[in-house]
């Protein structure tokens, strides 16, 4: 209860409380009824806050779990991945009824299911499955890395996935690819060929450095953040055609001044919009493929569709699932199998030597 003291020659109310060894106090202006009521309200609110903080200190709270996991994600993965996982946590706090101070062991299965159903209803089943995957991965990480993690099932991954209609991913005909290739400038031709002959992701090629191109062994070093270990890389063999084109492109680049000399592909556009980016490695190249496809008169496809085309080509040549997994740089063969099914393809048949045509010769674009 508030008490009255004399402070600097004036009688005033003071409130003092202690919760689990934590002491707080506050002075109020005078001994009026309003000051007494304000002091009593302060004691009530402060006591509740300290009790919540005390619980969070003794038990692993959601906020501790979130902060530790997102710190790890930020250090290991791309900004896009970090934002995706941060958004999943934000939606969970907003719609689950739990606060940041809630202990992890107080999360209930019914609340998790209700949250996922809410996301499925208000956004989509796909968004609910993505939230389930991201929060389930965060739970697994907590089990492996946080001391005193509660001994209970992974409440997210043990919840059933939502059924969604999956569209078959578009794989452009190779004739369309070569039509786009034919109208490109020289650097873009080399880049598109690299996408096709390496099955590379966009960021892998945008971040490719000359130090990661081994012309002697005919291989390139592609790095990705799509794995649990964070930024990791693999040496991928080049076709002879790609090796020749990269060699020729390097010679052309050496004659150009004012460019980033470290990266293989850089912005060469000198339009007003690109002034700030000239000579620097690409970030996104938004609308680039859309404009090229329109100019070539083909159905629009993007950089990742070329990766689909690469996988489709390997499947048609009877390359083994293991080899396709290695070339696509998937951690698990299950990922590769799902990837192929999403292209409308069956699981590949027996392993044959990887080649771009039956004779084993390198393939060149049609005249």
């Amino acid at each position: 209860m508030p008490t009255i003291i004399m402070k600097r020659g004036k009688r005033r109310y003071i409130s003092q409380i202690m919760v689990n060894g934590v002491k707080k106090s506050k002075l109020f202006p005078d001994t009026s009824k309003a000051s007494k009521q304000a002091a009593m309200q302060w004691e009530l609110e402060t006591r509740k806050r300290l009790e919540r903080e005390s619980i969070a200190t003794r038990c692993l709270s959601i906020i501790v779990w979130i902060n530790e996991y997102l710190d790890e994600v930020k250090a290991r993965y791309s900004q896009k991945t970090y934002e995706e996982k941060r958004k999943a946590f934000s939606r969970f706090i907003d719609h689950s009824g739990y606060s940041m101070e809630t202990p992890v062991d107080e999360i209930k299965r019914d609340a998790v299911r209700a949250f996922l159903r809410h996301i499925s209803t208000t956004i989509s089943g796909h968004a609910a499955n993505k939230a389930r995957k991201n929060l389930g991965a965060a739970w697994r990480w907590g089990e492996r890395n946080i001391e005193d993690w509660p001994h209970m099932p992974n409440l997210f991954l043990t919840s059933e996935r939502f059924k969604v209609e999956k569209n078959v991913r578009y794989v452009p005909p190779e004739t369309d690819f070569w039509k786009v290739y034919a109208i490109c400038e020289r650097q873009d031709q080399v880049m598109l060929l690299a996408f096709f002959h390496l099955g590379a992701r966009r960021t892998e090629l945008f971040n490719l450095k000359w130090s990661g191109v081994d012309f002697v062994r005919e291989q390139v070093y592609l790095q990705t953040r799509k794995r649990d270990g964070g930024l990791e890389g693999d040496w991928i063999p080049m076709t002879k055609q790609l090796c020749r084109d990269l060699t020729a492109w390097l010679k052309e680049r050496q004659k150009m001044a004012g460019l980033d000399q470290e990266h293989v592909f850089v912005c060469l556009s000198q339009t007003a919009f690109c002034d700030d980016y000239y000579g620097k490695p690409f970030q996104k190249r938004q609308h680039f493929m859309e404009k090229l496809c329109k100019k070539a008169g083909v159905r629009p496809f993007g950089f990742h569709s070329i990766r689909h085309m690469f996988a489709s080509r390997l499947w048609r040549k009877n390359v083994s699932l293991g080899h396709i997994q290695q070339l696509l740089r998937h951690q698990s063969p299950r990922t590769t199998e799902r990837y192929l099914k999403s292209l409308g393809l069956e699981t590949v048949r027996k392993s044959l030597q990887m080649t771009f045509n039956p004779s084993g010769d390198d393939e060149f674009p049609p005249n």
Side-chain angles (χ1 to χ4, degrees), residues 122-156:
T122 57
I123 305 178
S124 68
H126 176 72
N129 288 338
K130 184 174 285 190
R132 172 186 175 275
K133 180 197 74 172
N134 283 320
L135 295 173
W139 189 286
R140 277 204 312 263
W141 182 88
E143 290 174 328
R144 295 193 301 265
N145 295 281
I146 298 180
E147 291 186 18
D148 301 322
W149 185 268
H151 295 287
M152 54 194 295
N154 188 322
L155 300 180
F156 295 95

Side-chain angles (χ1 to χ4, degrees), residues 140-296:
R140 277 204 312 263
W141 182 88
E143 290 174 328
R144 295 193 301 265
N145 295 281
I146 298 180
E147 291 186 18
D148 301 322
W149 185 268
H151 295 287
M152 54 194 295
N154 188 322
L155 300 180
F156 295 95
L157 295 186
T158 53
S159 297
E160 292 185 9
R161 290 174 56 88
F162 290 84
K163 292 183 179 180
V164 294
E165 292 184 8
K166 292 187 176 180
N167 297 323
V168 175
R169 295 183 180 183
Y170 175 61
V171 182
E174 292 182 22
T175 53
D176 285 3
F177 170 83
W178 292 119
K179 287 178 182 178
V180 171
Y181 174 94
I183 64 172
C184 286
E185 296 180 356
R186 183 56 184 150
Q187 173 181 242
D188 296 332
Q189 286 187 333
V190 179
M191 186 175 67
L192 288 182
L193 188 69
F195 272 114
F196 186 25
H197 281 202
L198 296 173
R201 303 177 178 94
R202 181 184 64 184
T203 54
E204 291 173 345
L205 279 192
F206 285 3
N207 295 328
L208 179 63
K209 299 178 180 179
W210 288 115
S211 59
V213 181
D214 186 338
F215 291 107
V216 176
R217 294 182 177 84
E218 297 185 345
Q219 56 187 8
V220 297
Y221 190 66
L222 298 181
Q223 291 182 294
T224 182
R225 290 185 180 273
K226 298 283 286 185
R227 301 176 182 171
D228 290 341
L231 184 63
E232 295 182 1
D234 300 289
W235 285 101
I236 304 298
M238 287 190 283
T239 60
K240 292 190 179 300
Q241 180 187 354
L242 179 59
C243 189
R244 284 193 295 267
D245 281 21
L246 282 172
T247 301
W249 176 237
L250 176 58
K251 292 178 180 178
E252 290 183 46
R253 277 285 304 274
Q254 289 170 343
K255 300 174 185 178
M256 302 178 185
L259 306 180
D260 177 300
Q261 296 301 317
E262 188 178 22
H263 289 82
V264 176
F265 303 113
V266 298
C267 178
L268 297 179
S269 176
Q270 294 182 300
T271 61
F273 177 77
C274 295
D275 278 349
D276 293 339
Y277 306 100
Y278 180 77
K280 299 177 182 178
F282 294 112
Q283 298 296 320
K284 292 184 178 180
R285 300 207 78 177
Q286 195 172 9
H287 307 306
F288 170 74
M289 289 299 297
E290 181 182 355
K291 292 177 181 177
L292 280 178
C293 290
K294 185 176 181 180
K295 185 177 179 181

Side-chain angles (χ1 to χ4, degrees), residues 43-61:
E43 286 185 3
L44 180 64
E45 293 175 355
T46 304
R47 186 179 298 279
K48 287 182 178 179
R49 178 174 61 81
L50 291 177
E51 287 174 349
R52 287 198 304 268
E53 291 176 356
S54 177
I55 292 172
T57 302
R58 296 194 308 271
C59 305
L60 174 65
S61 62

